[in-house]
Amino acid sequence: GAGVSQTPSNKVTEKGKYVELRCDPISGHTALYWYRQSLGQGPEFLIYFQGTGAADDSGLPNDRFFAVRPEGSVSTLKIQRTERGDSAVYLCASSLSARGNSPLHFGNGTRLTVT
Amino acid sequence: DQQVKQNSPSLSVQEGRISILNCDYTNSMFDYFLWYKKYPAEGPTFLISISSIKDKNEDGRFTVFLNKSAKHLSLHIVPSQPGDSAVYFCAATNTGNQFYFGTGTSLTVIP
């Protein structure tokens, strides 16, 4: 079956620009997560959705970052006024339910480069 | 504050031998622990998990051991195969809302 799909796979943007990253989760998965991975680091939590609502956005680094999931399926991570420090791989994951015994299924990520 | 730590950035093992990857954590409230495998340019793939009420879980060539008193878990791969060469991440959660990941261990299995 189809896994988690993320688009684009690569995005290069200039400092100060706005970007949107899209995630299409596995059908039927109610929980959706965004993580960010920098070189040599593990995935770092950004935000988690249960259905349409952001249940935990404590990992968003600042108010330039925002994410939505309006219909409880596809999610978009939005970054305003991008900075070079935002360069990383942004990973989306989904799971059947937000429980520890329901593992995350990751997409291949979007590599964001801010020049 | 790194709640999940993998102190070995890399590990090399001969094909057919055992690979042991280690992970330490600080939060005693974690109730599930997971291992993920990652190939270059791909997202992490779930490998195996263990509940905090158990001390061992086995799935084929992969076994995870949990030592709660030491706040330590390990992943054993036996026998190791060249296709196991990847970066392995340890992760933990206490609610399912947030999963905390280690920095990864790069495993190379030498043919």
Side-chain angles (χ1 to χ4, degrees), chain A residues 84-103:
Chain A
R84 292 193 181 89
D86 299 334
S87 297
V89 176
Y90 288 81
L91 294 164
C92 176
S94 67
S95 70
L96 274 173
S97 64
R99 298 181 63 175
N101 62 352
S102 183

Side-chain angles (χ1 to χ4, degrees), chain A residues 33 35 37 40-43 45 48 56 58-59 91 98-109, chain B residues 2 31-32 34 36 38 41-46 49 89 93 95-104:
Chain A
Y33 304 75
Y35 278 78
Q37 186 173 18
Q41 301 297 314
F45 172 79
Y48 141 70
D56 185 346
S58 62
L91 294 164
R99 298 181 63 175
N101 62 352
S102 183
L104 306 182
H105 299 265
F106 283 91
N108 287 336
Chain B
Q2 194 77 16
D31 59 0
Y32 270 94
L34 308 91
Y36 283 81
K38 185 182 183 304
E42 294 184 9
T45 302
F46 170 70
S49 65
F89 290 98
T93 185
T95 62
N97 290 3
Q98 289 195 31
F99 290 76
Y100 296 86
F101 286 81
T103 52

Side-chain angles (χ1 to χ4, degrees), chain B residues 11-20 61 76-82 84 107 109-110:
Chain B
L11 175 67
S12 290
V13 173
Q14 288 286 339
E15 180 178 4
R17 305 293 290 268
I18 185 170
S19 295
I20 301 176
R61 295 186 298 113
H76 292 209
I77 307 172
V78 55
S80 300
Q81 299 173 354
D84 296 330
L107 174 66
V109 180
I110 304 164

Side-chain angles (χ1 to χ4, degrees), chain B residues 60-109:
Chain B
R61 295 186 298 113
F62 303 91
T63 303
V64 55
F65 295 92
L66 175 63
N67 182 336
K68 285 179 62 180
S69 61
K71 294 191 177 66
H72 177 83
L73 67 156
S74 60
L75 174 68
H76 292 209
I77 307 172
V78 55
S80 300
Q81 299 173 354
D84 296 330
S85 297
V87 177
Y88 289 78
F89 290 98
C90 170
T93 185
N94 65 340
T95 62
N97 290 3
Q98 289 195 31
F99 290 76
Y100 296 86
F101 286 81
T103 52
T105 296
S106 178
L107 174 66
T108 301
V109 180

